[in-house]
Short mmCIF file of all heavy atoms in Angstrom, two decimals:
data_model
loop_
_atom_site.label_atom_id
_atom_site.label_comp_id
_atom_site.label_asym_id
_atom_site.label_seq_id
_atom_site.Cartn_x
_atom_site.Cartn_y
_atom_site.Cartn_z
N MET A 1 156.43 -29.42 -4.49
CA MET A 1 156.97 -30.41 -5.30
C MET A 1 156.97 -30.04 -6.83
O MET A 1 157.90 -30.13 -7.44
CB MET A 1 156.19 -31.87 -5.22
CG MET A 1 156.61 -32.92 -6.02
SD MET A 1 158.12 -33.48 -5.52
CE MET A 1 158.38 -34.83 -6.60
N PHE A 2 155.83 -29.48 -7.26
CA PHE A 2 155.65 -28.93 -8.64
C PHE A 2 156.58 -27.77 -8.87
O PHE A 2 157.08 -27.55 -9.96
CB PHE A 2 154.16 -28.61 -8.95
CG PHE A 2 153.33 -29.74 -9.30
CD1 PHE A 2 152.15 -29.96 -8.69
CD2 PHE A 2 153.79 -30.71 -10.22
CE1 PHE A 2 151.38 -31.06 -9.06
CE2 PHE A 2 153.00 -31.76 -10.45
CZ PHE A 2 151.87 -31.95 -10.00
N LYS A 3 156.77 -26.98 -7.74
CA LYS A 3 157.65 -25.77 -7.96
C LYS A 3 159.09 -26.30 -8.28
O LYS A 3 159.82 -25.58 -9.05
CB LYS A 3 157.51 -24.95 -6.71
CG LYS A 3 156.27 -24.09 -6.73
CD LYS A 3 156.35 -23.15 -5.43
CE LYS A 3 154.96 -22.46 -5.42
NZ LYS A 3 154.98 -21.46 -4.25
N LEU A 4 159.56 -27.27 -7.50
CA LEU A 4 160.86 -27.79 -7.73
C LEU A 4 161.08 -28.38 -9.21
O LEU A 4 162.03 -28.15 -9.84
CB LEU A 4 161.19 -28.85 -6.68
CG LEU A 4 162.59 -29.47 -6.77
CD1 LEU A 4 163.70 -28.38 -6.63
CD2 LEU A 4 162.84 -30.67 -5.83
N ILE A 5 160.06 -29.16 -9.62
CA ILE A 5 160.09 -29.71 -10.92
C ILE A 5 160.06 -28.62 -11.98
O ILE A 5 160.77 -28.63 -13.01
CB ILE A 5 158.89 -30.64 -11.13
CG1 ILE A 5 159.10 -31.95 -10.18
CG2 ILE A 5 158.86 -31.20 -12.50
CD1 ILE A 5 157.97 -32.91 -10.16
N GLY A 6 159.21 -27.67 -11.73
CA GLY A 6 159.20 -26.46 -12.71
C GLY A 6 160.46 -25.69 -12.77
O GLY A 6 160.91 -25.33 -13.84
N LEU A 7 161.15 -25.55 -11.64
CA LEU A 7 162.50 -24.96 -11.64
C LEU A 7 163.43 -25.73 -12.46
O LEU A 7 164.23 -25.18 -13.22
CB LEU A 7 162.95 -24.73 -10.14
CG LEU A 7 164.49 -24.15 -10.06
CD1 LEU A 7 164.30 -22.71 -10.51
CD2 LEU A 7 164.85 -24.24 -8.64
N ILE A 8 163.41 -27.12 -12.23
CA ILE A 8 164.34 -27.93 -12.90
C ILE A 8 164.12 -27.95 -14.41
O ILE A 8 165.08 -27.82 -15.21
CB ILE A 8 164.37 -29.43 -12.42
CG1 ILE A 8 164.94 -29.45 -10.85
CG2 ILE A 8 165.05 -30.44 -13.27
CD1 ILE A 8 164.54 -30.75 -10.14
N ILE A 9 162.80 -27.95 -14.79
CA ILE A 9 162.53 -27.93 -16.18
C ILE A 9 163.02 -26.54 -16.83
O ILE A 9 163.40 -26.39 -17.86
CB ILE A 9 161.01 -28.15 -16.46
CG1 ILE A 9 160.65 -29.53 -15.98
CG2 ILE A 9 160.61 -27.79 -17.83
CD1 ILE A 9 161.28 -30.65 -16.82
N SER A 10 162.82 -25.46 -16.04
CA SER A 10 163.22 -24.18 -16.54
C SER A 10 164.65 -24.10 -16.87
O SER A 10 165.11 -23.69 -17.94
CB SER A 10 162.85 -23.07 -15.50
OG SER A 10 161.48 -23.00 -15.28
N ILE A 11 165.50 -24.67 -15.96
CA ILE A 11 166.92 -24.62 -16.10
C ILE A 11 167.23 -25.52 -17.27
O ILE A 11 168.09 -25.20 -18.01
CB ILE A 11 167.57 -25.09 -14.87
CG1 ILE A 11 167.35 -24.01 -13.67
CG2 ILE A 11 169.05 -25.39 -14.98
CD1 ILE A 11 167.93 -24.37 -12.34
N LEU A 12 166.63 -26.58 -17.33
CA LEU A 12 166.79 -27.67 -18.52
C LEU A 12 166.53 -26.97 -19.78
O LEU A 12 167.25 -27.02 -20.77
CB LEU A 12 166.01 -28.85 -18.37
CG LEU A 12 166.16 -29.84 -19.49
CD1 LEU A 12 167.38 -30.53 -19.57
CD2 LEU A 12 164.96 -30.87 -19.45
N LEU A 13 165.45 -26.19 -19.87
CA LEU A 13 165.06 -25.44 -21.17
C LEU A 13 166.12 -24.40 -21.52
O LEU A 13 166.51 -24.26 -22.73
CB LEU A 13 163.69 -24.82 -21.05
CG LEU A 13 162.54 -25.84 -21.22
CD1 LEU A 13 161.26 -25.04 -20.80
CD2 LEU A 13 162.48 -26.36 -22.54
N ILE A 14 166.63 -23.72 -20.55
CA ILE A 14 167.59 -22.62 -20.70
C ILE A 14 168.94 -23.37 -21.30
O ILE A 14 169.43 -22.83 -22.21
CB ILE A 14 167.97 -21.88 -19.43
CG1 ILE A 14 166.81 -20.97 -19.10
CG2 ILE A 14 169.22 -21.07 -19.60
CD1 ILE A 14 166.77 -20.41 -17.75
N ILE A 15 169.27 -24.48 -20.74
CA ILE A 15 170.47 -25.19 -21.19
C ILE A 15 170.35 -25.67 -22.65
O ILE A 15 171.28 -25.56 -23.42
CB ILE A 15 170.83 -26.29 -20.28
CG1 ILE A 15 171.34 -25.80 -18.90
CG2 ILE A 15 171.87 -27.18 -20.84
CD1 ILE A 15 171.58 -26.77 -17.88
N VAL A 16 169.11 -26.26 -23.02
CA VAL A 16 168.83 -26.79 -24.27
C VAL A 16 168.85 -25.53 -25.32
O VAL A 16 169.42 -25.72 -26.42
CB VAL A 16 167.54 -27.44 -24.36
CG1 VAL A 16 167.07 -27.71 -25.71
CG2 VAL A 16 167.57 -28.76 -23.58
N ILE A 17 168.31 -24.44 -24.96
CA ILE A 17 168.27 -23.21 -25.87
C ILE A 17 169.76 -22.82 -26.12
O ILE A 17 170.09 -22.52 -27.23
CB ILE A 17 167.42 -22.16 -25.28
CG1 ILE A 17 165.91 -22.63 -25.40
CG2 ILE A 17 167.69 -20.89 -26.03
CD1 ILE A 17 165.04 -21.65 -24.70
N PHE A 18 170.62 -22.82 -25.12
CA PHE A 18 172.08 -22.45 -25.26
C PHE A 18 172.73 -23.41 -26.09
O PHE A 18 173.64 -23.17 -26.81
CB PHE A 18 172.73 -22.14 -23.91
CG PHE A 18 172.49 -20.83 -23.30
CD1 PHE A 18 171.95 -20.78 -21.96
CD2 PHE A 18 172.73 -19.72 -24.05
CE1 PHE A 18 171.80 -19.52 -21.46
CE2 PHE A 18 172.46 -18.51 -23.53
CZ PHE A 18 172.06 -18.32 -22.20
N LEU A 19 172.43 -24.73 -26.05
CA LEU A 19 173.04 -25.74 -26.80
C LEU A 19 172.68 -25.57 -28.28
O LEU A 19 173.37 -26.05 -29.18
CB LEU A 19 172.63 -27.14 -26.48
CG LEU A 19 173.41 -27.62 -25.10
CD1 LEU A 19 172.81 -28.90 -24.76
CD2 LEU A 19 174.81 -27.76 -25.36
N ARG A 20 171.58 -25.02 -28.63
CA ARG A 20 171.13 -24.89 -29.98
C ARG A 20 171.83 -23.67 -30.63
O ARG A 20 171.23 -22.54 -30.80
CB ARG A 20 169.55 -24.71 -29.95
CG ARG A 20 168.89 -25.91 -29.61
CD ARG A 20 167.43 -25.68 -29.67
NE ARG A 20 167.02 -25.30 -31.04
CZ ARG A 20 166.41 -26.16 -31.94
NH1 ARG A 20 166.15 -27.24 -31.65
NH2 ARG A 20 166.26 -25.62 -33.09
N THR A 21 173.03 -23.93 -30.92
CA THR A 21 173.78 -22.74 -31.51
C THR A 21 173.37 -22.51 -32.91
O THR A 21 173.13 -23.42 -33.76
CB THR A 21 175.30 -23.02 -31.53
OG1 THR A 21 175.49 -24.24 -32.28
CG2 THR A 21 175.87 -23.17 -30.10
N PRO A 22 173.29 -21.28 -33.40
CA PRO A 22 172.94 -20.95 -34.79
C PRO A 22 174.07 -21.42 -35.68
O PRO A 22 175.19 -21.51 -35.28
CB PRO A 22 172.83 -19.56 -34.85
CG PRO A 22 173.30 -18.92 -33.57
CD PRO A 22 173.46 -20.04 -32.74
N GLN A 23 173.60 -21.84 -36.93
CA GLN A 23 174.59 -22.30 -37.95
C GLN A 23 175.52 -21.31 -38.35
O GLN A 23 176.63 -21.55 -38.81
CB GLN A 23 173.92 -22.80 -39.20
CG GLN A 23 172.86 -23.97 -38.88
CD GLN A 23 173.54 -25.19 -38.27
OE1 GLN A 23 174.69 -25.45 -38.68
NE2 GLN A 23 172.87 -25.96 -37.47
N GLU A 24 175.21 -20.00 -38.31
CA GLU A 24 176.11 -18.89 -38.71
C GLU A 24 177.22 -18.72 -37.67
O GLU A 24 178.25 -18.12 -38.05
CB GLU A 24 175.30 -17.65 -38.86
CG GLU A 24 174.33 -17.69 -40.02
CD GLU A 24 173.02 -18.22 -39.43
OE1 GLU A 24 172.73 -18.04 -38.25
OE2 GLU A 24 172.29 -18.78 -40.22
N ASN A 25 177.03 -19.12 -36.53
CA ASN A 25 178.09 -18.92 -35.35
C ASN A 25 179.12 -20.01 -35.59
O ASN A 25 179.04 -21.08 -35.07
CB ASN A 25 177.36 -19.02 -33.98
CG ASN A 25 178.23 -18.45 -32.96
OD1 ASN A 25 179.45 -18.23 -33.23
ND2 ASN A 25 177.69 -18.26 -31.86
N VAL A 26 180.20 -19.61 -36.26
CA VAL A 26 181.22 -20.69 -36.61
C VAL A 26 181.92 -21.06 -35.43
O VAL A 26 182.30 -22.35 -35.35
CB VAL A 26 182.09 -19.98 -37.73
CG1 VAL A 26 183.38 -20.88 -38.08
CG2 VAL A 26 181.38 -19.55 -38.98
N GLY A 27 182.26 -20.30 -34.44
CA GLY A 27 183.02 -20.67 -33.27
C GLY A 27 182.43 -21.69 -32.53
O GLY A 27 183.07 -22.70 -32.20
N LEU A 28 181.25 -21.49 -32.11
CA LEU A 28 180.40 -22.54 -31.22
C LEU A 28 180.11 -23.69 -32.08
O LEU A 28 180.15 -24.79 -31.48
CB LEU A 28 179.19 -21.84 -30.57
CG LEU A 28 179.54 -20.80 -29.62
CD1 LEU A 28 178.25 -20.17 -29.14
CD2 LEU A 28 180.27 -21.37 -28.56
N SER A 29 179.70 -23.52 -33.28
CA SER A 29 179.24 -24.74 -34.02
C SER A 29 180.46 -25.65 -34.38
O SER A 29 180.35 -26.86 -34.38
CB SER A 29 178.52 -24.39 -35.39
OG SER A 29 179.34 -23.67 -36.21
N SER A 30 181.62 -25.08 -34.59
CA SER A 30 182.76 -25.80 -34.91
C SER A 30 183.35 -26.55 -33.58
O SER A 30 183.80 -27.69 -33.61
CB SER A 30 183.95 -24.97 -35.46
OG SER A 30 184.39 -24.16 -34.44
N PHE A 31 183.12 -26.03 -32.46
CA PHE A 31 183.45 -26.55 -31.09
C PHE A 31 182.57 -27.78 -30.99
O PHE A 31 182.99 -28.81 -30.53
CB PHE A 31 183.23 -25.62 -29.97
CG PHE A 31 183.31 -26.24 -28.59
CD1 PHE A 31 184.54 -26.62 -28.10
CD2 PHE A 31 182.07 -26.39 -27.97
CE1 PHE A 31 184.54 -27.25 -26.95
CE2 PHE A 31 182.25 -27.00 -26.70
CZ PHE A 31 183.40 -27.44 -26.17
N ALA A 32 181.25 -27.56 -31.22
CA ALA A 32 180.29 -28.76 -31.10
C ALA A 32 180.61 -29.79 -32.01
O ALA A 32 180.37 -31.03 -31.66
CB ALA A 32 178.87 -28.29 -31.20
N THR A 33 180.99 -29.51 -33.16
CA THR A 33 181.27 -30.60 -34.29
C THR A 33 182.57 -31.21 -33.85
O THR A 33 182.66 -32.56 -33.95
CB THR A 33 181.43 -29.92 -35.64
OG1 THR A 33 180.30 -29.15 -35.85
CG2 THR A 33 181.58 -30.96 -36.55
N LYS A 34 183.62 -30.53 -33.41
CA LYS A 34 184.93 -31.17 -33.13
C LYS A 34 184.79 -32.04 -31.92
O LYS A 34 185.52 -33.09 -31.82
CB LYS A 34 185.91 -30.03 -32.95
CG LYS A 34 186.31 -29.43 -34.22
CD LYS A 34 187.43 -28.35 -34.02
CE LYS A 34 187.71 -27.65 -35.22
NZ LYS A 34 188.64 -26.44 -35.06
N THR A 35 184.02 -31.55 -30.92
CA THR A 35 184.12 -32.38 -29.67
C THR A 35 183.10 -33.52 -29.74
O THR A 35 183.08 -34.38 -28.85
CB THR A 35 183.71 -31.45 -28.47
OG1 THR A 35 182.49 -30.75 -28.70
CG2 THR A 35 184.90 -30.57 -28.16
N ASP A 36 182.17 -33.47 -30.60
CA ASP A 36 181.15 -34.49 -30.90
C ASP A 36 180.31 -34.76 -29.71
O ASP A 36 180.18 -35.85 -29.24
CB ASP A 36 181.86 -35.71 -31.39
CG ASP A 36 180.93 -36.80 -32.06
OD1 ASP A 36 179.89 -36.28 -32.65
OD2 ASP A 36 181.18 -37.95 -32.05
N ILE A 37 179.97 -33.64 -29.10
CA ILE A 37 179.22 -33.75 -27.78
C ILE A 37 177.80 -34.36 -28.02
O ILE A 37 177.42 -35.25 -27.31
CB ILE A 37 178.93 -32.32 -27.10
CG1 ILE A 37 180.32 -31.78 -26.69
CG2 ILE A 37 177.96 -32.36 -25.99
CD1 ILE A 37 180.21 -30.34 -26.25
N LEU A 38 177.14 -33.97 -29.23
CA LEU A 38 175.75 -34.45 -29.34
C LEU A 38 175.66 -35.35 -30.49
O LEU A 38 174.63 -35.65 -30.96
CB LEU A 38 174.85 -33.25 -29.53
CG LEU A 38 174.75 -32.27 -28.42
CD1 LEU A 38 173.92 -31.00 -28.79
CD2 LEU A 38 174.03 -33.00 -27.14
N GLY A 39 176.75 -35.87 -31.07
CA GLY A 39 176.70 -36.77 -32.18
C GLY A 39 176.60 -36.00 -33.48
O GLY A 39 177.24 -34.92 -33.58
N SER A 40 176.04 -36.53 -34.49
CA SER A 40 176.04 -35.84 -35.81
C SER A 40 175.11 -34.74 -35.72
O SER A 40 174.17 -34.73 -34.92
CB SER A 40 175.63 -36.87 -36.88
OG SER A 40 174.25 -37.13 -36.76
N PRO A 41 175.39 -33.71 -36.57
CA PRO A 41 174.47 -32.41 -36.57
C PRO A 41 172.99 -32.68 -36.68
O PRO A 41 172.23 -32.08 -36.02
CB PRO A 41 175.08 -31.57 -37.61
CG PRO A 41 176.52 -32.15 -37.76
CD PRO A 41 176.54 -33.48 -37.53
N SER A 42 172.64 -33.59 -37.58
CA SER A 42 171.20 -33.77 -37.89
C SER A 42 170.58 -34.53 -36.72
O SER A 42 169.47 -34.12 -36.34
CB SER A 42 171.11 -34.56 -39.23
OG SER A 42 171.61 -35.81 -39.11
N SER A 43 171.27 -35.56 -36.13
CA SER A 43 170.64 -36.29 -35.05
C SER A 43 170.62 -35.38 -33.78
O SER A 43 169.71 -35.44 -32.98
CB SER A 43 171.36 -37.55 -34.71
OG SER A 43 172.63 -37.29 -34.34
N ALA A 44 171.64 -34.56 -33.59
CA ALA A 44 171.69 -33.67 -32.45
C ALA A 44 170.51 -32.53 -32.59
O ALA A 44 169.86 -32.33 -31.55
CB ALA A 44 172.96 -32.94 -32.47
N GLU A 45 170.29 -32.21 -33.72
CA GLU A 45 169.22 -31.11 -33.97
C GLU A 45 167.92 -31.74 -33.60
O GLU A 45 166.96 -31.18 -33.00
CB GLU A 45 169.19 -30.53 -35.37
CG GLU A 45 168.22 -29.45 -35.59
CD GLU A 45 168.40 -28.82 -36.86
OE1 GLU A 45 169.28 -29.11 -37.64
OE2 GLU A 45 167.52 -27.96 -37.19
N ARG A 46 167.54 -32.92 -34.16
CA ARG A 46 166.45 -33.63 -33.94
C ARG A 46 166.25 -33.91 -32.40
O ARG A 46 165.07 -33.79 -31.79
CB ARG A 46 166.41 -34.94 -34.70
CG ARG A 46 165.07 -35.75 -34.69
CD ARG A 46 164.95 -36.94 -35.53
NE ARG A 46 166.24 -37.65 -35.67
CZ ARG A 46 166.93 -37.80 -36.81
NH1 ARG A 46 166.57 -37.15 -37.87
NH2 ARG A 46 168.14 -38.56 -36.81
N PHE A 47 167.31 -34.41 -31.75
CA PHE A 47 167.18 -34.73 -30.32
C PHE A 47 166.89 -33.38 -29.51
O PHE A 47 166.00 -33.44 -28.69
CB PHE A 47 168.50 -35.30 -29.77
CG PHE A 47 168.50 -35.45 -28.33
CD1 PHE A 47 167.76 -36.47 -27.74
CD2 PHE A 47 169.35 -34.57 -27.62
CE1 PHE A 47 167.89 -36.54 -26.34
CE2 PHE A 47 169.42 -34.75 -26.18
CZ PHE A 47 168.73 -35.66 -25.54
N LEU A 48 167.50 -32.31 -29.84
CA LEU A 48 167.29 -31.09 -29.18
C LEU A 48 165.89 -30.63 -29.45
O LEU A 48 165.25 -29.92 -28.60
CB LEU A 48 168.29 -30.03 -29.57
CG LEU A 48 169.69 -30.28 -29.06
CD1 LEU A 48 170.73 -29.17 -29.46
CD2 LEU A 48 169.70 -30.27 -27.50
N ASN A 49 165.35 -30.80 -30.66
CA ASN A 49 164.04 -30.26 -31.01
C ASN A 49 162.93 -31.09 -30.16
O ASN A 49 162.06 -30.53 -29.55
CB ASN A 49 163.62 -30.54 -32.50
CG ASN A 49 164.32 -29.51 -33.37
OD1 ASN A 49 164.67 -28.45 -32.91
ND2 ASN A 49 164.42 -29.93 -34.63
N VAL A 50 163.15 -32.34 -29.94
CA VAL A 50 162.25 -33.27 -29.23
C VAL A 50 162.40 -32.80 -27.72
O VAL A 50 161.32 -32.71 -27.06
CB VAL A 50 162.60 -34.70 -29.54
CG1 VAL A 50 161.86 -35.66 -28.44
CG2 VAL A 50 162.18 -35.12 -30.83
N LEU A 51 163.53 -32.57 -27.32
CA LEU A 51 163.80 -32.26 -25.90
C LEU A 51 163.23 -30.85 -25.63
O LEU A 51 162.58 -30.77 -24.47
CB LEU A 51 165.30 -32.29 -25.58
CG LEU A 51 165.66 -32.11 -24.07
CD1 LEU A 51 165.24 -33.38 -23.35
CD2 LEU A 51 167.17 -32.01 -23.99
N THR A 52 163.38 -30.00 -26.48
CA THR A 52 162.75 -28.68 -26.22
C THR A 52 161.24 -28.75 -26.18
O THR A 52 160.57 -28.05 -25.19
CB THR A 52 163.24 -27.71 -27.33
OG1 THR A 52 164.65 -27.64 -27.44
CG2 THR A 52 162.71 -26.28 -27.12
N VAL A 53 160.56 -29.45 -27.15
CA VAL A 53 159.11 -29.49 -27.22
C VAL A 53 158.58 -30.25 -25.93
O VAL A 53 157.72 -29.81 -25.32
CB VAL A 53 158.68 -30.25 -28.43
CG1 VAL A 53 157.18 -30.63 -28.43
CG2 VAL A 53 158.90 -29.35 -29.66
N LEU A 54 159.32 -31.37 -25.53
CA LEU A 54 158.89 -32.08 -24.44
C LEU A 54 158.98 -31.14 -23.12
O LEU A 54 158.13 -31.19 -22.25
CB LEU A 54 159.76 -33.37 -24.17
CG LEU A 54 159.35 -34.23 -23.10
CD1 LEU A 54 157.98 -34.85 -23.27
CD2 LEU A 54 160.37 -35.38 -23.00
N GLY A 55 160.11 -30.49 -23.05
CA GLY A 55 160.33 -29.61 -21.83
C GLY A 55 159.32 -28.55 -21.70
O GLY A 55 158.86 -28.16 -20.64
N ILE A 56 158.89 -27.88 -22.92
CA ILE A 56 157.89 -26.95 -22.89
C ILE A 56 156.56 -27.47 -22.54
O ILE A 56 155.93 -26.76 -21.82
CB ILE A 56 157.88 -26.16 -24.29
CG1 ILE A 56 159.17 -25.36 -24.62
CG2 ILE A 56 156.69 -25.33 -24.41
CD1 ILE A 56 159.30 -24.91 -25.95
N LEU A 57 156.21 -28.53 -23.03
CA LEU A 57 154.89 -29.14 -22.78
C LEU A 57 154.90 -29.48 -21.18
O LEU A 57 153.74 -29.22 -20.51
CB LEU A 57 154.61 -30.45 -23.55
CG LEU A 57 154.40 -30.12 -25.06
CD1 LEU A 57 154.33 -31.49 -25.70
CD2 LEU A 57 153.22 -29.36 -25.10
N ILE A 58 155.92 -29.98 -20.62
CA ILE A 58 155.97 -30.30 -19.12
C ILE A 58 155.99 -29.05 -18.43
O ILE A 58 155.17 -28.90 -17.34
CB ILE A 58 157.18 -31.14 -18.77
CG1 ILE A 58 157.08 -32.56 -19.42
CG2 ILE A 58 157.39 -31.22 -17.28
CD1 ILE A 58 158.40 -33.31 -19.31
N TYR A 59 156.62 -27.97 -18.86
CA TYR A 59 156.63 -26.72 -18.15
C TYR A 59 155.16 -26.07 -18.25
O TYR A 59 154.71 -25.60 -17.18
CB TYR A 59 157.64 -25.67 -18.79
CG TYR A 59 157.70 -24.32 -18.05
CD1 TYR A 59 158.40 -24.38 -16.91
CD2 TYR A 59 157.05 -23.27 -18.53
CE1 TYR A 59 158.55 -23.13 -16.24
CE2 TYR A 59 157.05 -22.14 -17.90
CZ TYR A 59 157.79 -22.05 -16.73
OH TYR A 59 157.86 -20.78 -16.13
N PHE A 60 154.57 -26.08 -19.26
CA PHE A 60 153.13 -25.53 -19.38
C PHE A 60 152.24 -26.41 -18.48
O PHE A 60 151.38 -25.83 -17.84
CB PHE A 60 152.59 -25.51 -20.85
CG PHE A 60 153.18 -24.38 -21.63
CD1 PHE A 60 153.35 -24.53 -23.01
CD2 PHE A 60 153.50 -23.14 -21.10
CE1 PHE A 60 153.69 -23.39 -23.82
CE2 PHE A 60 153.86 -22.08 -21.77
CZ PHE A 60 154.00 -22.33 -23.10
N GLY A 61 152.36 -27.64 -18.43
CA GLY A 61 151.44 -28.51 -17.66
C GLY A 61 151.75 -28.13 -16.16
O GLY A 61 150.72 -27.96 -15.41
N ILE A 62 152.94 -28.00 -15.74
CA ILE A 62 153.16 -27.67 -14.23
C ILE A 62 152.75 -26.26 -13.99
O ILE A 62 152.05 -26.01 -12.91
CB ILE A 62 154.74 -27.78 -14.01
CG1 ILE A 62 155.08 -29.25 -14.04
CG2 ILE A 62 155.03 -27.23 -12.74
CD1 ILE A 62 156.56 -29.56 -13.96
N ALA A 63 152.92 -25.41 -14.94
CA ALA A 63 152.49 -23.96 -14.80
C ALA A 63 150.96 -23.89 -14.60
O ALA A 63 150.38 -23.18 -13.75
CB ALA A 63 152.89 -23.06 -15.83
N LEU A 64 150.27 -24.63 -15.41
CA LEU A 64 148.88 -24.63 -15.35
C LEU A 64 148.31 -25.28 -14.16
O LEU A 64 147.35 -24.78 -13.48
CB LEU A 64 148.23 -25.44 -16.67
CG LEU A 64 146.81 -25.48 -16.80
CD1 LEU A 64 146.18 -24.14 -17.02
CD2 LEU A 64 146.34 -26.46 -17.81
N THR A 65 148.94 -26.30 -13.68
CA THR A 65 148.52 -27.11 -12.35
C THR A 65 148.77 -26.07 -11.28
O THR A 65 147.93 -25.97 -10.33
CB THR A 65 149.39 -28.28 -12.25
OG1 THR A 65 149.22 -29.21 -13.34
CG2 THR A 65 148.94 -29.04 -10.96
N LEU A 66 149.90 -25.36 -11.19
CA LEU A 66 150.13 -24.41 -10.17
C LEU A 66 149.18 -23.26 -10.10
O LEU A 66 148.80 -22.86 -8.97
CB LEU A 66 151.59 -23.91 -10.13
CG LEU A 66 152.71 -25.07 -9.70
CD1 LEU A 66 154.11 -24.36 -10.08
CD2 LEU A 66 152.54 -25.38 -8.38
N ASN A 67 148.85 -22.81 -11.36
CA ASN A 67 147.86 -21.71 -11.30
C ASN A 67 146.56 -22.06 -10.88
O ASN A 67 145.80 -21.24 -10.38
CB ASN A 67 147.82 -21.06 -12.72
CG ASN A 67 149.14 -20.18 -12.99
OD1 ASN A 67 149.70 -19.70 -12.02
ND2 ASN A 67 149.54 -20.13 -14.19
N LEU A 68 146.15 -23.31 -11.24
CA LEU A 68 144.69 -23.74 -10.88
C LEU A 68 144.64 -24.03 -9.43
O LEU A 68 143.59 -23.93 -8.83
CB LEU A 68 144.38 -24.94 -11.72
CG LEU A 68 144.15 -24.70 -13.17
CD1 LEU A 68 143.74 -25.96 -13.97
CD2 LEU A 68 143.04 -23.62 -13.47
N THR A 69 145.70 -24.52 -8.81
CA THR A 69 145.61 -24.85 -7.38
C THR A 69 145.78 -23.62 -6.48
O THR A 69 145.47 -23.74 -5.27
CB THR A 69 146.68 -25.83 -6.89
OG1 THR A 69 148.03 -25.31 -7.29
CG2 THR A 69 146.57 -27.11 -7.70
N SER A 70 146.27 -22.42 -6.97
CA SER A 70 146.38 -21.27 -6.07
C SER A 70 145.31 -20.25 -6.30
O SER A 70 144.42 -20.43 -6.96
CB SER A 70 147.78 -20.73 -6.25
OG SER A 70 147.87 -20.33 -7.59
#
């Protein structure tokens, strides 16, 4: 069960990291702004920061639990 949740969290973290486009990358940032996928840039950045930190904490918790049980 924990392995499946860990896999899902890992994929979620990879997706979140790809969504965090650097400001210098004009092509991807203009696409995100024009399509308004994540709302305004400041709220989107704050949401992605919280989502990243939460995902990392959950991932570490699951990894620690799996290492202690095996």
